[in-house]
Amino acid sequence: MTMSLSVLLSLALAAEAFVPNAVTAVAGATRCASGLAMPGTGRGTCAAELGLPRRKMASVLRGGEVFAAETAEAAETFEFEAEVTKVMDIIINSLYSDKDIFLRELVSNASDACDKKRFLSLTDEKSGGYEGRIRLIGDKEKNTLTIEDNGIGMTRKELQGNLGRIAQSGTKKFTEALGSGADATNLIGQFGVGFYSAFLVADKVSVVTKSTDGEQLRWESEAANKYTITADDGEPIEGSGTRLVLHLKEDADKYIEDYTIRDMLKRYSEFISFPIELWAEKTEYDTIPDPDAEIKEGEEPPTKTVPRTSNVWEKINVAKPLWMRPPKEVTEDEYAEFYKTTFKQYDSPAAKVHFSLEGQVEFRAMLFVPSTVPWELSQDMFNDKVKPMKLFVKRVFISDNFEEQLLPRWLSFLKGMVDSEDLPLNVSRELLQKSRVLSIISKRLVRKSLDMFDEIAKDQDKFDKFTSNFGRYIKVGVIEDQDNKEALLKIASFSSSASDSLSTLPAYVGRMKEGQKQIYYLSGASKQAAASSPVLERLSKQGYEVLFALDQIDEIALQGVG
């Protein structure tokens, strides 16, 4: 049965409107981009193919469906095409959940540029000493924020490759080129999308850069749509480096204010290894003679104080990343200062542990036990606003919002930090993804926490205070953490009929009378109420010590002892 040319042409046009012109050969059939495959060797699946002039097609109608038999011909390969503007919009406005992150990403890029130059200077005897730095200037008149470094700079080819390609990471290529020496650079950026976060707050971005012995160039883009590269004849860059100028959007003018920039730098980039300097206003007061005051005979001329405002380079990152140093080299005062400044605490830590893990998973961490119960936890034992852990990647703060991914909730009273290159972050470096690495780190943090508690238990006064402050969390751990239940039962403490002080279960067992097979406990709203129970009187006469479960957590924890 044959078909008229007009019918075949109608079918071809209809198919072409639905299916892209991409055909891929598969075993035993030809598969159209629609994904449909018809039986029979050498049989086409799309009527759209009937409209392709470059193929010899023979049409056959079977059971109301058109099949197109084609002569053997090599399959064509097509690359996916994407509307660059749309992709950039997704990267800029969907990848990052918080606009403030742009500063973290751009300062990290600047730090990498300095680190690259520092590394290369170590292998170049002619370079002399190198002192990297990063500087930021907010200009209210021009509505711009400038981030400048004296790092390695970029050539014209590197500008095209690093900034002209989405997800192209210059840092990653630099690291790969170094091969076995890459570890010495300690570079931060590996994703290749951090630069585009600039468009979160800017509608125009200018990059002025100069590599060593290279020409000074200007890369410029508006709305991340297209970009230009030209020679730059503006303010010269000495040696090498990059000057990034963000022309801020109308709703992003807060990023010009030095107090806003200072706060963001201290939050995200406090521990960057190179000095970060902010061009900030500084007010000083001078004492001068008061020309309007009456001068009395025999007295000193009256004076007055007048403010004098100037701009100075203010160093922002004055804190030191103590976790990068060996524990033996850090003093107790340094630990206390780090704890107070990093976690905004007023007390000194009651205990701390500082350790690292090397091998398949590498990370450094510090954990602190507060000496007092934080106010937020005194109101709500598991307050969601309390963030116990801070995550850093190569000294750059990433997040403190983990939802029990690093520490179980029974350890939410701790304060701590983890710095690891192995943590599985999403591409915006904001969120942790579940993985085996995360599980290993979490287990080691819990193990080190338990070791720290065991050390506290060796000093009875410290242990009594620890139990008074955080004993309920330990009992929650007994209930919820089956893997560490036995270790927690050794330090979980309860009121006892034998003493006014609290007792651990091992201590209770050590005092059990000969032949006693069970642990006895009574529930009560208070110790006084439990002590007045007739059951206690009967057990005491028989020589049994009784523990008191004075709230629901005590009772559930004791029920699970067996």
Side-chain angles (χ1 to χ4, degrees):
M1 183 176 182
T2 59
M3 300 187 68
S4 68
L5 179 62
S6 60
V7 173
L8 291 175
L9 182 61
S10 298
L11 286 170
L13 291 174
E16 283 187 344
F18 175 71
V19 181
N21 292 334
V23 181
T24 306
V26 297
T30 302
R31 182 181 297 275
C32 178
S34 66
L36 300 175
M38 296 297 184
T41 303
R43 298 296 182 182
T45 64
C46 296
E49 292 177 2
L50 298 174
L52 296 175
R54 61 180 175 272
R55 294 179 181 270
K56 297 178 181 180
M57 311 296 293
S59 61
V60 182
L61 181 67
R62 295 179 183 173
E65 295 182 312
V66 176
F67 287 73
E70 57 177 331
T71 59
E73 189 172 332
E76 293 185 81
T77 301
F78 296 86
E79 289 189 5
F80 286 107
E81 295 183 4
E83 187 178 343
V84 175
T85 305
K86 184 64 177 177
V87 174
M88 290 299 293
D89 180 68
I90 292 172
I91 289 175
I92 295 165
N93 297 307
S94 301
L95 199 60
Y96 298 97
S97 63
D98 184 358
K99 287 184 178 181
D100 289 0
I101 285 173
F102 86 92
L103 193 61
R104 181 196 73 185
E105 296 296 294
L106 298 181
V107 170
S108 295
N109 286 350
S111 175
D112 277 354
C114 293
D115 231 336
K116 292 173 187 176
K117 186 168 182 178
R118 179 192 63 81
F119 182 80
L120 294 178
S121 69
L122 296 175
T123 59
D124 184 1
E125 296 179 356
K126 299 179 181 179
S127 65
Y130 170 69
E131 294 184 3
R133 55 152 177 75
I134 302 164
R135 286 180 166 176
L136 294 91
I137 305 174
D139 190 324
K140 294 181 180 179
E141 293 183 3
K142 297 181 180 178
N143 196 38
T144 61
L145 174 63
T146 301
I147 303 170
E148 185 170 351
D149 66 72
N150 64 343
I152 197 170
M154 286 179 280
T155 63
R156 185 181 293 268
K157 184 177 180 181
E158 287 168 339
L159 274 177
Q160 289 179 282
N162 296 343
L163 304 188
R165 292 182 181 178
I166 300 172
Q168 172 74 26
S169 172
T171 291
K172 188 173 183 180
K173 291 185 71 175
F174 180 85
T175 304
E176 290 172 350
L178 293 176
S180 60
D183 292 341
T185 62
N186 205 23
L187 299 173
I188 299 166
Q190 296 280 325
F191 294 104
V193 293
F195 167 76
Y196 303 106
S197 65
F199 290 99
L200 287 168
V201 297
D203 48 25
K204 178 182 176 182
V205 176
S206 303
V207 180
V208 179
T209 186
K210 180 180 181 297
S211 61
T212 303
D213 300 327
E215 61 177 329
Q216 185 162 312
L217 301 168
R218 174 181 289 268
W219 181 101
E220 204 160 69
S221 177
E222 292 192 36
N225 190 355
K226 56 185 178 181
Y227 66 90
T228 60
I229 299 177
T230 59
D232 181 74
D233 57 1
E235 181 183 350
I237 294 174
E238 184 179 348
S240 66
T242 299
R243 183 184 303 129
L244 178 63
V245 183
L246 308 183
H247 302 265
L248 298 174
K249 299 176 181 178
E250 290 184 4
D251 61 350
D253 56 354
K254 70 174 184 178
Y255 298 113
I256 297 176
E257 303 295 340
D258 54 15
Y259 59 83
T260 300
I261 301 171
R262 184 185 296 106
D263 181 68
M264 291 166 59
L265 289 172
K266 282 189 172 293
R267 175 173 173 79
Y268 291 111
S269 307
E270 176 79 1
F271 302 105
I272 289 286
S273 57
F274 298 98
I276 301 175
E277 300 174 348
L278 175 64
W279 188 245
E281 283 190 356
K282 181 180 180 181
T283 302
E284 297 178 312
Y285 294 90
D286 297 328
T287 301
I288 63 173
D290 187 354
D292 300 324
E294 182 181 349
I295 302 175
K296 295 181 180 180
E297 189 176 349
E299 294 183 0
E300 292 288 333
T303 60
K304 66 178 181 178
T305 302
V306 294
R308 175 169 51 87
T309 302
S310 60
N311 286 83
V312 296
W313 288 112
E314 176 189 349
K315 186 177 178 181
I316 302 299
N317 54 334
V318 294
K320 303 298 181 183
L322 296 187
W323 65 87
M324 302 298 293
R325 292 162 54 186
K328 293 180 180 179
E329 296 181 5
V330 185
T331 66
E332 293 298 323
D333 288 342
E334 287 178 314
Y335 279 123
E337 184 62 27
F338 176 88
Y339 168 77
K340 291 176 182 178
T341 56
T342 304
F343 303 105
K344 306 298 185 290
Q345 299 296 307
Y346 298 100
D347 61 326
S348 294
K352 52 96 178 52
V353 62
H354 176 187
F355 66 99
S356 62
L357 179 66
E358 297 181 355
Q360 291 184 334
V361 177
E362 296 186 6
F363 71 94
R364 299 171 185 266
M366 290 197 295
L367 296 170
F368 297 90
V369 176
S371 56
T372 60
V373 180
W375 183 84
E376 298 87 348
L377 295 182
S378 67
Q379 307 299 307
D380 180 358
M381 186 175 175
F382 298 112
N383 193 324
D384 291 337
K385 295 180 180 180
V386 176
K387 310 297 183 183
M389 295 296 296
K390 291 180 179 291
L391 169 65
F392 293 81
V393 173
K394 296 183 178 178
R395 303 180 306 279
V396 176
F397 174 70
I398 301 298
S399 179
D400 56 7
N401 187 21
F402 302 116
E403 298 180 352
E404 301 181 40
Q405 289 176 292
L406 282 177
L407 284 181
R409 72 170 189 156
W410 64 269
L411 285 174
S412 60
F413 64 91
L414 295 179
K415 299 293 182 184
M417 54 71 52
V418 171
D419 189 336
S420 175
E421 303 170 29
D422 297 324
L423 279 172
L425 300 172
N426 69 339
V427 75
S428 68
R429 302 202 297 175
E430 292 179 270
L431 305 173
L432 276 174
Q433 299 168 349
K434 291 185 177 179
S435 75
R436 184 183 66 87
V437 173
L438 191 61
S439 176
I440 292 172
I441 293 177
S442 178
K443 287 180 179 179
R444 183 54 64 96
L445 290 173
V446 173
R447 183 67 260 168
K448 287 294 184 178
S449 298
L450 292 171
D451 292 343
M452 181 167 53
F453 301 157
D454 288 340
E455 284 298 314
I456 294 175
K458 294 178 181 179
D459 186 316
Q460 192 59 49
D461 291 338
K462 289 184 178 180
F463 185 66
D464 288 344
K465 187 175 182 181
F466 170 78
T467 300
S468 175
N469 289 333
F470 308 113
R472 299 186 75 214
Y473 291 91
I474 300 301
K475 294 167 190 173
V476 171
V478 171
I479 298 167
E480 296 181 348
D481 192 340
Q482 295 302 307
D483 291 339
N484 296 292
K485 178 179 175 181
E486 293 301 319
L488 289 167
L489 283 173
K490 294 178 182 179
I491 58 174
S493 300
F494 303 87
S495 293
S496 168
S497 62
S499 172
D500 292 334
S501 59
L502 299 178
S503 174
T504 62
L505 292 178
Y508 175 93
V509 172
R511 297 190 298 268
M512 283 170 43
K513 63 180 292 186
E514 188 178 350
Q516 183 178 339
K517 301 293 185 182
Q518 296 173 315
I519 294 175
Y520 295 96
Y521 74 92
L522 280 173
S523 300
S526 65
K527 185 173 182 178
Q528 184 177 4
S532 62
S533 169
V535 176
L536 175 62
E537 184 179 355
R538 186 167 63 252
L539 289 171
S540 296
K541 287 181 178 179
Q542 297 177 37
Y544 293 115
E545 178 183 351
V546 179
L547 298 178
F548 298 137
L550 303 181
D551 63 18
Q552 193 173 15
I553 293 178
D554 284 356
E555 189 167 358
I556 298 174
L558 286 169
Q559 287 174 355
V561 169

